[in-house]
Amino acid sequence: MQEPTFLILTALAAQPLHGYGVIRAVDELSAGEVKLRPGTLYGALDRLAEQGLVTVDREEAVEGRLRRYYRLSDTGAAALQVQIERLRRHATAAEIQLGKRLGGALTFGTASALTFGTVTG
């Protein structure tokens, strides 16, 4: 699963959102590192809907324009959970390998051993 897809599913995990709401949520979840453009988002939402990972929750007319809200389906929630577990395993493996490089100084779950000036390459 690509990072933007993971973040879109994550954005929809708590509640249904319309497109602009998803864009804002992804921006917030990624601390500004992932910027979705509307065309990219709606293409992704269409693909995710075809895969059964998201569904249209409802549509509202706002200022003469149709606003479509999307929600995470049960299948999407299961796929998101699988991806969370996969990423967690990979992060743990990376911490273990980095700890070996640093002589075991890395404390799991924190970056305390990576304080500037204390670790040299």
Side-chain angles (χ1 to χ4, degrees):
M1 181 180 294
Q2 298 295 315
E3 183 178 30
T5 299
F6 175 78
L7 291 169
I8 291 167
L9 296 179
T10 301
L12 295 171
Q15 64 185 5
L17 295 171
H18 55 78
Y20 183 66
V22 174
I23 289 172
R24 288 188 320 198
V26 166
D27 185 61
E28 185 176 314
L29 288 166
S30 71
E33 292 178 5
V34 176
K35 302 282 189 192
L36 291 177
R37 296 184 183 272
T40 302
L41 171 66
Y42 289 108
L45 287 170
D46 287 344
R47 180 178 46 79
L48 294 169
E50 287 174 10
Q51 295 171 349
L53 300 178
V54 302
T55 60
V56 174
D57 184 68
R58 67 186 183 279
E59 294 178 336
E60 295 177 352
V62 177
E63 298 178 7
R65 298 182 64 189
L66 191 62
R67 181 178 285 176
R68 184 173 289 159
Y69 285 77
Y70 296 86
R71 70 175 176 81
L72 189 64
S73 68
D74 291 342
T75 301
L80 182 59
Q81 185 62 48
V82 166
Q83 185 67 5
I84 290 167
E85 291 166 6
R86 179 178 167 271
L87 291 171
R88 189 173 286 133
R89 283 192 313 272
H90 290 186
T92 299
E95 284 182 319
I96 290 169
Q97 294 305 309
L98 187 57
K100 290 176 183 177
R101 173 187 169 92
L102 300 173
L106 186 64
T107 303
F108 295 110
T110 68
S112 61
L114 299 178
T115 306
F116 291 106
T118 60
V119 177
T120 59

